[in-house]
Amino acid sequence: MKLIVTAMKNEGAFILEWVAYHRMIGFSDFLIYTNDCDDGTVELLDRLTQMGIVRHERNEVLRRGPHKSALKYAFAHPMTHAAEWIMISDVDEFLNIRMGGGSVQELIAAQPENTDAIPVAWRLFSHDDKVAFVDEPVMSQFTDAERGLGTGGFPDRFVKTVFRGLERLERFGLHRPVVAAEHVDGYVSRAPDGELFEGTMRDAKARTHFAYEVAQVNHYAVRSIDSYLLKRDRGRANHVNQVLGADYWQKMCRGGEEDLSIQRHLKATQAEIAELRSDPEIDQLHRSAVSWHAAKIEQLRADPAFEALRDEVMALSAAADHKRARTDTPMALRIVADADATAVAAPVQQAAAVATGTPQARLADMCREMRSLIDQFEPIAAAEAAQARLDEIERGLLGQSR
């Protein structure tokens, strides 16, 4: 049993392709948690659950945020205890196994027998100069991938991990499993090519050894420009207090090299999608989700803050900022007033707008950055305590409540 665990919110238009692709490369089971959806994601996953394709669970979000809440519940779920191998993945991440026939079984079989975890490096994909949201496979729309190190690409790339040995884990992590202290020394992690993974068990990034010739995780973090508006509206599943702006786009929208490797699976994936959509209810739910996404984009564009973000991202695209090499100077971003940046950030609500450059604005920026950093610390209880202290600071000095 090869299991994928994920958390979703308003991803209805992209579910069928992601499920179809990963079924096609050998994953047998899907454990999917959702929260606060209104695009038909819940109904689509419920129908897929009735059909025996996935297992859909409601995610009761704790203070730690949607992603970490889902992983807490998943760690105790019967499906994870029955699984031979597990992967934690998002719906914009596609495990692209480039060796052999491209199956997860082949990737696992190629490793030495003592391998417990296979951290597979992200490869970011740009928006490929696409503006509009369209109902076409992501894997065919976006082929502009970030550069390799030898052609000016960035080092230190996050990984997503195929792993086993649940009984030796403390809990699930977003990028790698958190191994219990008494088992760290015996838990073996290898890159896809079989080389021992560089770094400690807490490292979530591959520094320079990516082994893309064997496997990579195609990460379509931004999709098209209009789809990015939906991503901002939805918010981040891990760093819930972070407002997605042009800075996130600039960091995650990277290209410069064409990568068609995943497209050898395109016809098989499309056939699997067609099979799923042969169920009339699935077909209608997918169509409804697509319509919802298109309508939501138009609604968001009527908001000045979203239209300003779109204009800035369009400018970044026109300047080909996404194709720059590591040594190139990035395009300067506009300064966004704090009130503008937080106007669409749920659940954060500011009691009063503050002008950029004031002590209040600078403190608000610092708090947002600190929250993102604190989320990466362990144990979770200590991180939550630190977040509570920040709550007190913001309530007392900025008039904010969370």
Side-chain angles (χ1 to χ4, degrees), residues 161-348:
T161 306
V162 180
F163 62 91
R164 63 178 175 178
L166 189 68
E167 70 282 356
R168 289 175 285 165
L169 305 183
E170 177 184 314
R171 58 180 176 81
F172 292 152
L174 295 171
H175 298 280
R176 296 181 70 194
V178 179
V179 180
E182 63 271 23
H183 295 297
V184 167
D185 290 341
Y187 197 86
V188 179
S189 295
R190 297 183 185 275
D193 62 358
E195 294 291 321
L196 287 173
F197 184 74
E198 52 187 340
T200 71
M201 285 302 305
R202 296 290 185 178
D203 288 332
K205 294 181 179 180
R207 295 189 178 96
T208 58
H209 184 66
F210 306 138
Y212 283 163
E213 71 279 5
V214 180
Q216 64 191 41
V217 173
N218 287 20
H219 191 189
Y220 307 100
V222 297
R223 301 185 182 118
S224 69
I225 290 175
D226 283 346
S227 288
Y228 186 63
L229 301 183
L230 291 169
K231 187 181 183 82
R232 171 166 169 164
D233 179 64
R234 183 175 63 248
R236 296 191 66 187
N238 188 24
H239 306 294
V240 293
N241 297 309
Q242 180 182 359
V243 179
L244 296 180
D247 54 343
Y248 182 87
W249 172 280
Q250 194 171 54
K251 180 173 69 173
M252 301 300 286
C253 181
R254 290 182 183 170
E257 290 185 0
E258 185 179 53
D259 185 344
L260 302 174
S261 58
I262 201 171
Q263 292 197 8
R264 64 173 172 155
H265 299 304
L266 181 58
K267 287 185 178 179
T269 300
Q270 289 174 318
E272 181 69 19
I273 293 170
E275 177 64 25
L276 292 172
R277 292 184 66 174
S278 67
D279 177 80
E281 188 173 346
I282 290 291
D283 183 63
Q284 182 55 49
L285 288 167
H286 174 79
R287 291 175 185 274
S288 295
V290 169
S291 297
W292 184 95
H293 279 238
K296 187 67 174 180
I297 288 167
E298 292 305 310
Q299 177 187 338
L300 294 174
R301 290 195 59 190
D303 185 314
F306 280 92
E307 189 67 3
L309 171 62
R310 187 178 189 272
D311 288 344
E312 184 167 20
V313 169
M314 290 282 284
L316 287 169
S317 178
D321 184 80
H322 56 289
K323 292 184 179 291
R324 61 185 166 84
R326 181 176 66 253
T327 54
D328 295 336
T329 301
M331 179 177 169
L333 303 178
R334 71 184 179 94
I335 298 175
V336 183
D338 195 63
D340 176 49
T342 58
V344 295
V348 181

Side-chain angles (χ1 to χ4, degrees), residues 44 63 82 138 245 247 323 374 395-396:
L44 180 55
R63 183 180 179 83
V138 167
D247 54 343
K323 292 184 179 291
I374 288 169
R395 281 194 297 268

